[in-house]
Amino acid sequence: MNIEQEFSEKVQEHLQALTASMKPVLKELIGYDYPKEVVSLEFEIFADGFTQGFPVRAFFMDSNDSEYFVYINGEAQYPSPVEPELLKIEYVYPYELEEKYTNQDEDFDPWSIAINELIQWFSECWREMGGESFQLKANIAPHDNDQAYNLVDSKWEER
């Protein structure tokens, strides 16, 4: 087994351990009655987040592709039943795991492997919680990427 496969399997193990925590969060997001201004949920993945918390953040977007907020007593709040950070955890996997593989091969790219595994895992959790019947658009993608994975239609798209 090469180090990419080995690292990939380790990331999968760490993500699987988060499934029980992630599913209820996604179920709430999928079942929530959003303000009419919200047309899309955009989940952005921040690569440094794997070893520092949870790398995915939810954005609630309007038809102008701007982040939408609800104002309550003059204070901006997210139009969401859950926090945009989704999970409050120390890390998906410890920094030492990345370090082990980058020390073996200086060209090793842990983030693209981790991001691919995360998108696959996240979309599975999304589908299992009924996400294919979600009435708005929903995508997940690495931060500042020109392609996004459409969670409702289960396919990659330009954005």
Side-chain angles (χ1 to χ4, degrees), residues 44-84:
E44 296 264 327
I45 305 166
F46 298 89
D48 61 349
F50 284 96
T51 58
Q52 303 166 9
F54 189 65
V56 180
R57 189 176 192 294
F59 293 88
F60 307 90
M61 308 304 283
D62 65 17
S63 59
N64 297 320
D65 207 26
S66 295
E67 196 170 2
Y68 182 78
F69 296 93
V70 177
Y71 288 87
I72 299 172
N73 299 327
E75 190 179 314
Q77 297 186 3
Y78 294 101
S80 167
V82 299
E83 290 297 316

Side-chain angles (χ1 to χ4, degrees), residues 31-42:
Y32 189 68
D33 188 17
Y34 294 92
K36 65 182 180 348
E37 293 84 357
V38 175
V39 298
S40 177
L41 296 189
E42 299 294 324

Side-chain angles (χ1 to χ4, degrees), residues 88-99:
K88 293 213 184 304
I89 59 173
E90 192 177 342
Y91 52 71
V92 172
Y93 54 76
Y95 173 75
E96 293 77 23
L97 180 67
E98 258 176 32
E99 191 178 45

Side-chain angles (χ1 to χ4, degrees), residues 135-150:
Q135 297 301 302
L136 306 176
K137 293 191 325 193
N139 296 306
I140 186 167
H143 181 64
D144 287 339
N145 200 358
D146 56 358
Q147 285 202 315
Y149 188 79
N150 180 323

Side-chain angles (χ1 to χ4, degrees), residues 16-32:
Q16 289 304 322
L18 299 174
T19 301
S21 301
M22 179 52 76
K23 283 183 172 180
V25 171
L26 293 178
K27 188 172 182 65
E28 276 193 80
L29 286 169
I30 291 164
Y32 189 68

Side-chain angles (χ1 to χ4, degrees), residues 5-14 97 100-101:
Q5 288 173 304
E6 194 178 301
F7 181 73
S8 185
E9 286 181 10
K10 297 280 186 213
V11 172
Q12 287 172 24
E13 288 171 23
H14 286 279
L97 180 67
K100 174 185 172 189
Y101 293 96

